[in-house]
Amino acid sequence: MSSQNLSVTPDLNTQDAERVLGTSGSLGAGYEGLHLPVAVLLDNVRSMYNVGAFFRAADGVGLQKLCLCGITAHPPKNAISKTALGAEKTVVWEHDWDAIKMAERLHSSGFEIVAIETSAESVDLFEWQPKFPLCVAFGNEVEGLRPELLEMAATHVRIPMLGQKNSLNVATAGGVVLYELLRKYRVLTIHP
């Protein structure tokens, strides 16, 4: 049996596209002027495709800054660009070999450090009440966050996992967390 790429979504004409995008014609309608006061710290993330996916999500939520630490690759790299699709040019980023120093600088600038990690102290992502500005830290795809970063974190947050696996791909986890933060921050700014 041969494999075919069958599209079940018809091509959108201009009228349909305007309906999907809403009256403002923007996918960011209702979020105008919103800037998410969140930084992401990636410590020793091995896959450049994961890094590229973080750039895409960071651009999507209006992230303040992406902090790339240790062996985490940084632009310009073709594998990052392949997944980021240009977001590596729109998102503010910084690289430092020392994640601890980066976290200390962020903390001294007023960011609360938050570890995205399943641990005994972790709170559920959807029950968590974040304090902005904050920096969410994600660790290596295999080993997670190193103990020093876990100790620095004021809060540990876990993503609910209902299946047999205990974790998500780091970039997928990043997307889930960032969009939940955007949702919570928007609620705070609309209903202070």
Side-chain angles (χ1 to χ4, degrees):
M1 183 172 168
S2 67
S3 173
Q4 294 181 357
N5 185 6
L6 300 175
S7 176
V8 295
T9 306
D11 290 334
L12 292 177
N13 62 34
T14 304
Q15 185 178 16
D16 288 339
E18 288 173 3
R19 180 183 52 76
V20 169
L21 293 175
T23 56
S24 74
S26 169
L27 291 174
Y31 294 83
E32 293 86 359
L34 189 70
H35 298 286
L36 189 62
V38 173
V40 166
L41 186 148
L42 301 181
D43 185 37
N44 291 322
V45 171
R46 298 177 310 170
S47 167
M48 285 190 246
Y49 298 109
N50 283 336
V51 175
F54 265 99
F55 271 101
R56 281 285 287 287
D59 179 74
V61 300
L63 190 76
Q64 188 168 335
K65 184 178 190 179
L66 189 54
C67 304
L68 311 170
C69 300
I71 65 165
T72 305
H74 54 84
K77 298 276 190 288
N78 287 337
I80 293 173
S81 298
K82 183 174 184 172
T83 310
L85 295 178
E88 74 279 16
K89 297 173 185 167
T90 63
V91 172
V92 174
W93 64 271
E94 179 181 353
H95 178 265
D96 193 316
W97 286 101
D98 190 333
I100 305 302
K101 286 184 182 174
M102 176 78 78
E104 288 171 346
R105 283 196 307 271
L106 287 163
H107 188 262
S108 68
S109 296
F111 286 80
E112 180 175 292
I113 307 299
V114 176
I116 306 302
E117 188 77 50
T118 301
S119 68
E121 314 79 55
S122 293
V123 296
D124 185 282
L125 173 65
F126 302 118
E127 295 175 5
W128 173 41
Q129 297 302 313
K131 296 177 186 111
F132 297 96
L134 61 91
C135 170
V136 286
F138 295 85
N140 177 274
E141 291 92 336
V142 176
E143 298 171 7
L145 281 167
R146 64 176 95 173
E148 299 91 342
L149 284 170
L150 290 171
E151 288 174 22
M152 290 180 74
T155 307
H156 294 189
V157 175
R158 71 178 179 281
I159 298 170
M161 299 296 298
L162 307 183
Q164 299 300 310
K165 301 300 176 187
N166 294 325
S167 66
L168 293 171
N169 165 276
V170 67
T172 302
V176 169
V177 169
L178 290 178
Y179 274 91
E180 176 63 6
L181 284 169
L182 178 61
R183 185 190 70 77
K184 287 179 176 178
Y185 187 67
R186 183 173 184 239
V187 168
L188 286 175
T189 59
I190 291 174
H191 309 288

